[in-house]
Amino acid sequence: MTWALVCEHLFIVLASCILSIAAGLPLGILAYTCPKARAVVLRTVDLLQTIPSLALLGIIMVFLGAGKATVITGITLYSLLPIVRNTCLGLQEVDPGVKEAARGMGMSKPYRTLMVEFPLAFPTVFTGVRIAVVNAIGTAVFAAFVGGGGLGGIINQGIRVQDLELILSGTGVLMVIAVLLDLLMGWVERTMRSRRGGGRAMWISAGAVVLAFILLLPYGINRGGGEEELLLYDGDYSETQIMHHMVKFLVEDRTNLTVAIRDQMSQVNNFKSLIGESPTCDMMISYDGTVLTTFLQLDTADVPDGTSIYDYANQTAGERYGLRLLKQLGFDNTYAIAVPQNIADHYGLETVSDLIPVADQLVFGAEHEFFTQEGSMKYGPFTQFYGLTFKDQLSVDVSLKYAAAEKGSFDVTEVYATDGLNRKAGLKVLEDDLNFFPDYNGAFLVREDTFQKFAQTAPNLEEILNLLAGQIANEDMVEMTYQVDVMGRPVDEVAHEFLQTRGLL
């Protein structure tokens, strides 16, 4: 938890609210002045509010890509409802006598709406803004899912590793921010109502918002990479974070480059940020199986005979996107099937095939993604391949999977082989004796033009990155993720310590 994260979260909220005010006030005024447009405007903002947050961000991300722009746009749309409705309502509630007097003085409709009625309605309008701001503080936690930064990453990490202190610290900061802003805005609102108008208060409030936005602006801008800056995104799992911080230490130790690690981002969103004509990063840690099945939308059956998944994924990624996998790092973070140790002991489970005669007595649980129909490395193809018929299946959020396993909510689950939380949850990984799951060998996925970009400042960049090739065994990664997720050690410290033990710094 740092002040930078808090300020970044506040920037997202403030930027969203400024945009929602800029859009919501005209729409509210339009709904008031034009009865024919009123139903359309109000129903539209009502419908926007019914779209689930993550679904809305996913739709916006298709057009804007991952990052703060997507989050700010999403929260802006969510914040329109209270602002539009309160603007329309406030104008409708202005004393009819005042309206008639203004009309009698010969004022045009636009003039009296903006210069007479709106200042009188502003206390009610401000109530809508107040609701929008408080709601935005909580909604902004979803920024972590699309690389927007803020406090959402802290809370998500706490949920995943079941660190109550981390969860409470992130949630507590959000609550403090919400309460303080609500109290401040409540005081402004009461002041305006007691004076029966908001003309002066309206301009003071607007000035305060603009000033706060300017002060927070440095926390909301992702500076573009210069000629001597290698750009990466932080991951939403400790394994990704460890590897990206190893890159930072290694490259900065051996070159004059600066490595900038931006906001947290999932593997899929990171890949989208890596490709295209305007990429926002230069490289990422990935896996040959992920490149094949998730990024390239291919299956293991598409790999030609005699060709490895690594070689085929590497070749195809180069042809389609101009990307290249560097040398394999040594660990294979493949899917694995695991059971609590007491279940393994009770049924004598050592391999996945051992589940076949007892599957109808066991409940299978995993994250939502494992139950989707996209790709062959999913629940349906897996159970069909092994001939497994489980008693029931339970879908949970990936952040809650290990907690559910520890509490006995299900008996069998899918895990990643190098996840240190397997040890914490007391899970036994069963041998994939029929080799259903392909390799997921860790390797850096780099834009081919990255090496051209740094040809002058770091001509040996590829050689430096490949110093990690073959250096990290599965046991090493399990231990490092265990140190971060369970023991609570900082990612920087764990990554730096490993590099030192290998003599790479």
Side-chain angles (χ1 to χ4, degrees), residues 248-262:
K248 180 176 177 65
F249 287 127
L250 194 61
V251 171
E252 291 185 346
D253 182 63
R254 293 173 177 264
T255 73
N256 293 323
L257 293 179
T258 297
V259 178
I261 301 179
R262 294 177 171 175

Side-chain angles (χ1 to χ4, degrees), residues 397-426:
D397 185 82
V398 64
S399 301
L400 301 174
K401 180 173 69 174
Y402 284 100
E406 286 187 83
K407 293 176 181 177
S409 299
F410 42 74
D411 308 305
V412 187
T413 188
E414 157 271 331
V415 298
Y416 296 117
T418 59
D419 199 329
L421 290 175
N422 295 335
R423 186 194 303 179
K424 177 180 182 291

